[in-house]
Amino acid sequence: MLRDGALQGKTIIVTGGGTGLGKSITRYLLTLGANVTICSRRQAVIDETAQELTTELAAVEGVGRILAVPCDVRNPQEIENVLAQTVETFGRVDGLLNNSAGNFISPTERLSYKAFDTIVDIVLRGTYYFTLAVGKYWIENKISGTVLNISTTYATTGSGYVVPSAVAKGGALIMTKSLAAEWGKYGIRVNAIAPGPFPTKGAWDRLFPEPLASLMDDPGSRIPLNRVGDHGELANLAAYLLSDFSGYITGESITIDGGEVLMAGEFSHLRDVTDEQWDEVSKSIKQANRASKS
Ligand code: HXC
Ligand code: NAP
């Protein structure tokens, strides 16, 4: 979507950049010329992604460089290390994509106390810790950085069976708005993206395991645009929000879900009614109207 070299000279940290959506966004940021540090718990995964993307994009003119640093976002010392290594390698940090998450699907009454803590610690506390570390660095160094948090649509609607994740994503969304208000004076922008279903192994293994997958509708079939999202569509939006082209947007959460959340509208599920059935409906309404007048 953005022109070649649109992110030249920028350095962006992507948490959870070794897999799924974080990896797809990293690929696009590199293509646009940004240097990217990817981090997550599993060193082998981020090293392999760094190697793969370096090889894959070698022929792209003006491509950015990639650095992989292991980090558990629940650990402030490891976050400080990612920041220090990024500054040492690339000279500065301009953007932070908080994309790491943990999730599982379960009736809430079956969860242990620790299960809740595990998800909230990764998604809410981890997002806060990383944002705090990078924000302090930006304020100290007078850098107008930008934070982008990967949220979910159920951060605002709520959702059963993923309560720890919904609570944590809801908290991170309010943090997005609160910090946007507070740090605007430093030129720091804080935004979020709320994706609908974008197939990834990490999410699908944990949210649609068997026998649930066979019991549930195909996620695309509940969506007005009749399909799940494409990673490139999400990467376009993320790159835009991390770039200076979105310089006057802050405190926003942009939904990218093919209209899925709108299906909560009272009559939206009637989209499967056929034209012939609508003819019948129209006939019976007219009949009822005539009867009520006579
Ligand atoms: C119930 C579970 C559970 C499950 C773990 N726990 N899995 N409880 N159902 N399926 C409980 C454990 O019993 C334990 O509590 C506690 O959670 C911690 O479990 P660990 O396995 O020790 O945790 P850890 O090794 O830190 O692993 C974290 C994880 C794991 C979150 C549990 O799933 C993970 O690594 N996920 C990372 C990737 C991920 O989740 N990606 C999906 C993002 S999708 P006790 O009390 O027993 O010790 C997303 C939105 C998608 O966020 C929306 C789609 C439309
Ligand atoms: P994914 O591939 O499982 O990504 C999750 C990433 O988080 C992994 O790379 C994982 O790497 C990392 N991670 C987990 N715990 C961590 C920790 N403690 N510290 C550091 N990193 C950690 O799943 P995904 O679908 O791409 O999800 C990416 C983001 O999109 C998440 O925020 C998710 O909530 C959001 N989202 C996804 C969808 C979807 O349909 N896919 C929809 C809405 C929102 P390690 O295991 O190596 O740590």
Short mmCIF file of all heavy atoms in Angstrom, two decimals, residues 181-232:
data_model
loop_
_atom_site.label_atom_id
_atom_site.label_comp_id
_atom_site.label_asym_id
_atom_site.label_seq_id
_atom_site.Cartn_x
_atom_site.Cartn_y
_atom_site.Cartn_z
N ALA A 181 -3.55 10.13 25.29
CA ALA A 181 -3.88 11.44 25.86
C ALA A 181 -2.69 12.01 26.63
O ALA A 181 -2.37 13.19 26.52
CB ALA A 181 -5.08 11.30 26.79
N GLU A 182 -2.00 11.13 27.39
CA GLU A 182 -0.94 11.61 28.26
C GLU A 182 0.36 11.94 27.50
O GLU A 182 1.00 12.94 27.77
CB GLU A 182 -0.67 10.54 29.33
CG GLU A 182 0.25 11.01 30.42
CD GLU A 182 0.46 9.95 31.49
OE1 GLU A 182 -0.46 9.15 31.76
OE2 GLU A 182 1.58 9.92 32.03
N TRP A 183 0.72 11.08 26.55
CA TRP A 183 2.03 11.24 25.89
C TRP A 183 1.97 12.01 24.57
O TRP A 183 3.00 12.20 23.92
CB TRP A 183 2.66 9.86 25.64
CG TRP A 183 3.21 9.22 26.89
CD1 TRP A 183 3.28 9.79 28.14
CD2 TRP A 183 3.76 7.91 27.01
NE1 TRP A 183 3.84 8.90 29.04
CE2 TRP A 183 4.14 7.74 28.37
CE3 TRP A 183 3.97 6.86 26.13
CZ2 TRP A 183 4.72 6.56 28.84
CZ3 TRP A 183 4.54 5.67 26.60
CH2 TRP A 183 4.92 5.53 27.94
N GLY A 184 0.77 12.48 24.21
CA GLY A 184 0.68 13.32 23.01
C GLY A 184 1.60 14.53 23.10
O GLY A 184 2.17 14.97 22.11
N LYS A 185 1.79 15.03 24.30
CA LYS A 185 2.64 16.23 24.47
C LYS A 185 4.10 15.96 24.11
O LYS A 185 4.87 16.88 23.89
CB LYS A 185 2.51 16.77 25.90
CG LYS A 185 3.08 15.87 26.97
CD LYS A 185 2.87 16.46 28.35
CE LYS A 185 3.34 15.49 29.41
NZ LYS A 185 3.00 15.89 30.76
N TYR A 186 4.48 14.68 24.10
CA TYR A 186 5.85 14.33 23.66
C TYR A 186 5.90 13.96 22.18
O TYR A 186 6.94 13.53 21.68
CB TYR A 186 6.39 13.13 24.47
CG TYR A 186 6.40 13.36 25.96
CD1 TYR A 186 5.59 12.60 26.80
CD2 TYR A 186 7.23 14.32 26.52
CE1 TYR A 186 5.60 12.80 28.17
CE2 TYR A 186 7.24 14.54 27.90
CZ TYR A 186 6.42 13.78 28.71
OH TYR A 186 6.43 13.98 30.06
N GLY A 187 4.77 14.07 21.51
CA GLY A 187 4.71 13.67 20.10
C GLY A 187 4.59 12.16 19.94
O GLY A 187 4.73 11.64 18.83
N ILE A 188 4.33 11.46 21.05
CA ILE A 188 4.21 9.99 20.97
C ILE A 188 2.77 9.63 20.65
O ILE A 188 1.84 10.11 21.31
CB ILE A 188 4.64 9.34 22.32
CG1 ILE A 188 6.12 9.61 22.58
CG2 ILE A 188 4.34 7.84 22.31
CD1 ILE A 188 6.59 9.22 23.98
N ARG A 189 2.57 8.79 19.64
CA ARG A 189 1.23 8.32 19.27
C ARG A 189 1.04 6.88 19.74
O ARG A 189 2.00 6.10 19.75
CB ARG A 189 1.04 8.38 17.75
CG ARG A 189 1.12 9.80 17.20
CD ARG A 189 0.78 9.86 15.72
NE ARG A 189 1.66 9.07 14.89
CZ ARG A 189 1.28 8.03 14.14
NH1 ARG A 189 0.02 7.65 14.13
NH2 ARG A 189 2.16 7.38 13.40
N VAL A 190 -0.19 6.55 20.15
CA VAL A 190 -0.49 5.18 20.62
C VAL A 190 -1.82 4.77 19.99
O VAL A 190 -2.85 5.40 20.24
CB VAL A 190 -0.61 5.13 22.16
CG1 VAL A 190 -0.65 3.67 22.64
CG2 VAL A 190 0.53 5.87 22.84
N ASN A 191 -1.78 3.72 19.17
CA ASN A 191 -3.00 3.26 18.49
C ASN A 191 -3.14 1.75 18.62
O ASN A 191 -2.24 1.06 19.14
CB ASN A 191 -2.94 3.65 17.01
CG ASN A 191 -3.14 5.15 16.81
OD1 ASN A 191 -4.17 5.70 17.17
ND2 ASN A 191 -2.12 5.82 16.27
N ALA A 192 -4.25 1.25 18.14
CA ALA A 192 -4.50 -0.20 18.17
C ALA A 192 -5.20 -0.64 16.89
O ALA A 192 -5.84 0.16 16.21
CB ALA A 192 -5.37 -0.56 19.38
N ILE A 193 -5.04 -1.93 16.61
CA ILE A 193 -5.79 -2.56 15.52
C ILE A 193 -6.59 -3.70 16.15
O ILE A 193 -6.04 -4.47 16.95
CB ILE A 193 -4.86 -3.15 14.44
CG1 ILE A 193 -4.10 -2.05 13.71
CG2 ILE A 193 -5.65 -3.99 13.44
CD1 ILE A 193 -3.12 -2.56 12.65
N ALA A 194 -7.87 -3.80 15.81
CA ALA A 194 -8.70 -4.91 16.30
C ALA A 194 -9.02 -5.83 15.12
O ALA A 194 -9.95 -5.56 14.37
CB ALA A 194 -9.98 -4.36 16.92
N PRO A 195 -8.24 -6.90 14.96
CA PRO A 195 -8.51 -7.79 13.83
C PRO A 195 -9.64 -8.78 14.14
O PRO A 195 -9.80 -9.22 15.27
CB PRO A 195 -7.20 -8.58 13.65
CG PRO A 195 -6.22 -8.01 14.63
CD PRO A 195 -7.01 -7.30 15.69
N GLY A 196 -10.40 -9.12 13.14
CA GLY A 196 -11.29 -10.28 13.19
C GLY A 196 -10.45 -11.51 12.91
O GLY A 196 -9.23 -11.49 13.12
N PRO A 197 -11.03 -12.60 12.40
CA PRO A 197 -10.24 -13.82 12.19
C PRO A 197 -9.27 -13.75 11.00
O PRO A 197 -9.68 -13.50 9.87
CB PRO A 197 -11.30 -14.91 11.96
CG PRO A 197 -12.55 -14.20 11.63
CD PRO A 197 -12.46 -12.81 12.17
N PHE A 198 -7.99 -13.92 11.32
CA PHE A 198 -6.93 -14.02 10.32
C PHE A 198 -6.20 -15.34 10.63
O PHE A 198 -5.47 -15.41 11.63
CB PHE A 198 -5.92 -12.86 10.46
CG PHE A 198 -6.42 -11.55 9.92
CD1 PHE A 198 -7.39 -10.82 10.58
CD2 PHE A 198 -5.92 -11.05 8.72
CE1 PHE A 198 -7.85 -9.61 10.07
CE2 PHE A 198 -6.36 -9.85 8.20
CZ PHE A 198 -7.34 -9.13 8.87
N PRO A 199 -6.40 -16.39 9.83
CA PRO A 199 -5.85 -17.69 10.20
C PRO A 199 -4.34 -17.68 10.48
O PRO A 199 -3.56 -17.16 9.68
CB PRO A 199 -6.17 -18.56 8.98
CG PRO A 199 -7.38 -17.91 8.39
CD PRO A 199 -7.20 -16.44 8.61
N THR A 200 -3.97 -18.20 11.65
CA THR A 200 -2.57 -18.45 11.99
C THR A 200 -2.55 -19.76 12.76
O THR A 200 -3.55 -20.12 13.39
CB THR A 200 -1.98 -17.35 12.91
OG1 THR A 200 -2.66 -17.38 14.17
CG2 THR A 200 -2.08 -15.96 12.31
N LYS A 201 -1.42 -20.42 12.74
CA LYS A 201 -1.33 -21.69 13.46
C LYS A 201 -1.52 -21.47 14.97
O LYS A 201 -2.25 -22.21 15.63
CB LYS A 201 0.03 -22.35 13.17
CG LYS A 201 0.18 -23.70 13.84
CD LYS A 201 1.37 -24.46 13.33
CE LYS A 201 1.68 -25.69 14.19
NZ LYS A 201 0.54 -26.37 14.79
N GLY A 202 -0.87 -20.41 15.51
CA GLY A 202 -0.93 -20.15 16.95
C GLY A 202 -2.36 -19.97 17.43
O GLY A 202 -2.78 -20.59 18.42
N ALA A 203 -3.13 -19.14 16.74
CA ALA A 203 -4.51 -18.87 17.16
C ALA A 203 -5.41 -20.07 16.89
O ALA A 203 -6.21 -20.46 17.73
CB ALA A 203 -5.04 -17.63 16.45
N TRP A 204 -5.27 -20.68 15.71
CA TRP A 204 -6.20 -21.76 15.34
C TRP A 204 -6.00 -22.99 16.22
O TRP A 204 -6.96 -23.62 16.65
CB TRP A 204 -6.05 -22.09 13.85
CG TRP A 204 -7.13 -21.44 13.00
CD1 TRP A 204 -7.94 -22.08 12.11
CD2 TRP A 204 -7.53 -20.06 12.95
NE1 TRP A 204 -8.82 -21.18 11.54
CE2 TRP A 204 -8.60 -19.93 12.04
CE3 TRP A 204 -7.11 -18.90 13.61
CZ2 TRP A 204 -9.24 -18.73 11.76
CZ3 TRP A 204 -7.74 -17.69 13.33
CH2 TRP A 204 -8.78 -17.61 12.43
N ASP A 205 -4.72 -23.33 16.55
CA ASP A 205 -4.47 -24.49 17.41
C ASP A 205 -5.11 -24.29 18.78
O ASP A 205 -5.57 -25.24 19.41
CB ASP A 205 -2.97 -24.70 17.64
CG ASP A 205 -2.30 -25.35 16.44
OD1 ASP A 205 -3.03 -25.66 15.47
OD2 ASP A 205 -1.07 -25.55 16.49
N ARG A 206 -5.13 -23.02 19.26
CA ARG A 206 -5.59 -22.78 20.62
C ARG A 206 -7.06 -22.42 20.73
O ARG A 206 -7.66 -22.61 21.76
CB ARG A 206 -4.74 -21.68 21.26
CG ARG A 206 -3.35 -22.21 21.58
CD ARG A 206 -2.39 -21.12 21.92
NE ARG A 206 -1.09 -21.69 22.22
CZ ARG A 206 -0.07 -21.71 21.37
NH1 ARG A 206 -0.20 -21.20 20.16
NH2 ARG A 206 1.08 -22.24 21.73
N LEU A 207 -7.62 -21.90 19.64
CA LEU A 207 -9.02 -21.43 19.72
C LEU A 207 -10.00 -22.32 18.96
O LEU A 207 -11.19 -22.31 19.22
CB LEU A 207 -9.12 -19.99 19.20
CG LEU A 207 -8.30 -19.00 20.03
CD1 LEU A 207 -8.24 -17.64 19.36
CD2 LEU A 207 -8.88 -18.86 21.43
N PHE A 208 -9.49 -23.09 17.99
CA PHE A 208 -10.38 -23.97 17.22
C PHE A 208 -9.85 -25.41 17.22
O PHE A 208 -9.74 -26.03 16.16
CB PHE A 208 -10.51 -23.47 15.77
CG PHE A 208 -10.95 -22.03 15.66
CD1 PHE A 208 -10.04 -21.04 15.32
CD2 PHE A 208 -12.26 -21.65 15.89
CE1 PHE A 208 -10.43 -19.69 15.22
CE2 PHE A 208 -12.67 -20.32 15.79
CZ PHE A 208 -11.74 -19.33 15.46
N PRO A 209 -9.48 -25.95 18.40
CA PRO A 209 -8.99 -27.34 18.42
C PRO A 209 -10.16 -28.31 18.22
O PRO A 209 -11.32 -27.94 18.43
CB PRO A 209 -8.42 -27.49 19.84
CG PRO A 209 -9.19 -26.52 20.66
CD PRO A 209 -9.57 -25.38 19.76
N GLU A 210 -9.87 -29.55 17.83
CA GLU A 210 -10.92 -30.58 17.75
C GLU A 210 -11.36 -30.94 19.17
O GLU A 210 -10.53 -30.90 20.08
CB GLU A 210 -10.40 -31.81 17.00
CG GLU A 210 -10.24 -31.61 15.51
CD GLU A 210 -11.55 -31.22 14.78
OE1 GLU A 210 -12.65 -31.39 15.35
OE2 GLU A 210 -11.44 -30.73 13.65
N PRO A 211 -12.64 -31.27 19.46
CA PRO A 211 -13.70 -31.35 18.46
C PRO A 211 -14.40 -30.02 18.18
O PRO A 211 -15.36 -30.00 17.40
CB PRO A 211 -14.68 -32.32 19.12
CG PRO A 211 -14.56 -32.03 20.58
CD PRO A 211 -13.11 -31.66 20.81
N LEU A 212 -13.89 -28.90 18.78
CA LEU A 212 -14.57 -27.62 18.56
C LEU A 212 -14.61 -27.25 17.08
O LEU A 212 -15.63 -26.79 16.58
CB LEU A 212 -13.83 -26.49 19.31
CG LEU A 212 -14.21 -26.20 20.75
CD1 LEU A 212 -13.53 -24.91 21.19
CD2 LEU A 212 -15.73 -26.05 20.87
N ALA A 213 -13.49 -27.45 16.40
CA ALA A 213 -13.40 -27.03 14.99
C ALA A 213 -14.52 -27.67 14.17
O ALA A 213 -15.13 -27.01 13.33
CB ALA A 213 -12.04 -27.40 14.42
N SER A 214 -14.84 -28.94 14.44
CA SER A 214 -15.89 -29.61 13.68
C SER A 214 -17.28 -29.13 14.10
O SER A 214 -18.21 -29.14 13.30
CB SER A 214 -15.84 -31.12 13.88
OG SER A 214 -14.54 -31.57 13.82
N LEU A 215 -17.41 -28.71 15.37
CA LEU A 215 -18.72 -28.28 15.87
C LEU A 215 -19.06 -26.85 15.43
O LEU A 215 -20.22 -26.49 15.28
CB LEU A 215 -18.74 -28.31 17.41
CG LEU A 215 -18.64 -29.68 18.07
CD1 LEU A 215 -18.45 -29.53 19.57
CD2 LEU A 215 -19.90 -30.47 17.76
N MET A 216 -18.00 -26.01 15.23
CA MET A 216 -18.23 -24.60 14.96
C MET A 216 -18.40 -24.35 13.47
O MET A 216 -17.89 -25.09 12.64
CB MET A 216 -17.04 -23.77 15.45
CG MET A 216 -16.95 -23.70 16.96
SD MET A 216 -15.33 -23.16 17.48
CE MET A 216 -15.46 -21.40 17.30
N ASP A 217 -19.09 -23.22 13.14
CA ASP A 217 -19.15 -22.79 11.74
C ASP A 217 -17.75 -22.39 11.31
O ASP A 217 -16.94 -21.97 12.14
CB ASP A 217 -20.02 -21.52 11.62
CG ASP A 217 -21.48 -21.84 11.86
OD1 ASP A 217 -21.85 -23.02 11.74
OD2 ASP A 217 -22.22 -20.88 12.17
N ASP A 218 -17.49 -22.45 10.02
CA ASP A 218 -16.26 -21.90 9.48
C ASP A 218 -16.26 -20.40 9.83
O ASP A 218 -17.25 -19.70 9.58
CB ASP A 218 -16.29 -22.14 7.96
CG ASP A 218 -15.37 -21.21 7.20
OD1 ASP A 218 -14.39 -20.76 7.80
OD2 ASP A 218 -15.66 -20.95 6.02
N PRO A 219 -15.16 -19.86 10.46
CA PRO A 219 -15.18 -18.46 10.90
C PRO A 219 -15.54 -17.49 9.78
O PRO A 219 -16.21 -16.48 10.01
CB PRO A 219 -13.75 -18.21 11.40
CG PRO A 219 -13.11 -19.54 11.56
CD PRO A 219 -13.91 -20.54 10.77
N GLY A 220 -15.16 -17.79 8.54
CA GLY A 220 -15.47 -16.88 7.43
C GLY A 220 -16.96 -16.79 7.13
O GLY A 220 -17.44 -15.77 6.62
N SER A 221 -17.71 -17.83 7.47
CA SER A 221 -19.12 -17.88 7.06
C SER A 221 -20.01 -16.93 7.88
O SER A 221 -21.13 -16.66 7.49
CB SER A 221 -19.65 -19.31 7.18
OG SER A 221 -19.73 -19.65 8.55
N ARG A 222 -19.49 -16.43 9.01
CA ARG A 222 -20.29 -15.51 9.83
C ARG A 222 -20.02 -14.06 9.46
O ARG A 222 -20.45 -13.14 10.15
CB ARG A 222 -19.92 -15.68 11.31
CG ARG A 222 -20.12 -17.03 11.89
CD ARG A 222 -19.72 -17.04 13.37
NE ARG A 222 -18.33 -17.48 13.56
CZ ARG A 222 -17.35 -16.73 14.01
NH1 ARG A 222 -17.57 -15.48 14.32
NH2 ARG A 222 -16.14 -17.22 14.16
N ILE A 223 -19.23 -13.85 8.42
CA ILE A 223 -18.72 -12.51 8.16
C ILE A 223 -19.40 -11.90 6.94
O ILE A 223 -19.51 -12.56 5.90
CB ILE A 223 -17.18 -12.59 7.96
CG1 ILE A 223 -16.57 -13.04 9.28
CG2 ILE A 223 -16.59 -11.28 7.47
CD1 ILE A 223 -15.11 -13.26 9.26
N PRO A 224 -19.88 -10.65 7.03
CA PRO A 224 -20.54 -10.03 5.88
C PRO A 224 -19.73 -10.16 4.59
O PRO A 224 -20.29 -10.44 3.53
CB PRO A 224 -20.72 -8.57 6.30
CG PRO A 224 -20.91 -8.67 7.79
CD PRO A 224 -19.99 -9.79 8.24
N LEU A 225 -18.43 -9.98 4.64
CA LEU A 225 -17.64 -10.10 3.41
C LEU A 225 -17.32 -11.56 3.05
O LEU A 225 -16.57 -11.83 2.11
CB LEU A 225 -16.34 -9.28 3.51
CG LEU A 225 -16.56 -7.76 3.46
CD1 LEU A 225 -15.23 -7.01 3.62
CD2 LEU A 225 -17.23 -7.32 2.15
N ASN A 226 -17.88 -12.49 3.84
CA ASN A 226 -17.85 -13.92 3.50
C ASN A 226 -16.48 -14.58 3.48
O ASN A 226 -16.29 -15.58 2.79
CB ASN A 226 -18.48 -14.13 2.13
CG ASN A 226 -19.78 -14.88 2.28
OD1 ASN A 226 -19.90 -15.72 3.19
ND2 ASN A 226 -20.74 -14.59 1.43
N ARG A 227 -15.52 -14.04 4.18
CA ARG A 227 -14.20 -14.67 4.19
C ARG A 227 -13.42 -14.20 5.40
O ARG A 227 -13.76 -13.16 5.99
CB ARG A 227 -13.41 -14.34 2.90
CG ARG A 227 -13.10 -12.85 2.77
CD ARG A 227 -12.24 -12.59 1.55
NE ARG A 227 -12.00 -11.16 1.34
CZ ARG A 227 -11.02 -10.46 1.88
NH1 ARG A 227 -10.15 -11.04 2.69
NH2 ARG A 227 -10.88 -9.16 1.62
N VAL A 228 -12.37 -14.96 5.73
CA VAL A 228 -11.46 -14.52 6.79
C VAL A 228 -10.48 -13.49 6.20
O VAL A 228 -10.45 -13.28 4.98
CB VAL A 228 -10.69 -15.72 7.39
CG1 VAL A 228 -11.62 -16.65 8.15
CG2 VAL A 228 -9.92 -16.46 6.31
N GLY A 229 -9.69 -12.86 7.07
CA GLY A 229 -8.77 -11.83 6.61
C GLY A 229 -7.51 -12.39 5.98
O GLY A 229 -7.11 -13.53 6.25
N ASP A 230 -6.89 -11.56 5.15
CA ASP A 230 -5.62 -11.92 4.53
C ASP A 230 -4.51 -11.16 5.27
O ASP A 230 -4.67 -9.97 5.57
CB ASP A 230 -5.69 -11.47 3.06
CG ASP A 230 -4.43 -11.77 2.32
OD1 ASP A 230 -4.31 -12.90 1.85
OD2 ASP A 230 -3.54 -10.88 2.24
N HIS A 231 -3.41 -11.84 5.57
CA HIS A 231 -2.34 -11.20 6.35
C HIS A 231 -1.85 -9.89 5.73
O HIS A 231 -1.48 -8.95 6.44
CB HIS A 231 -1.16 -12.16 6.51
CG HIS A 231 -1.44 -13.28 7.49
ND1 HIS A 231 -0.46 -13.91 8.20
CD2 HIS A 231 -2.59 -13.87 7.86
CE1 HIS A 231 -1.00 -14.84 8.98
NE2 HIS A 231 -2.29 -14.84 8.77
N GLY A 232 -1.83 -9.84 4.39
CA GLY A 232 -1.36 -8.63 3.70
C GLY A 232 -2.24 -7.43 4.02
O GLY A 232 -1.77 -6.30 4.12
#
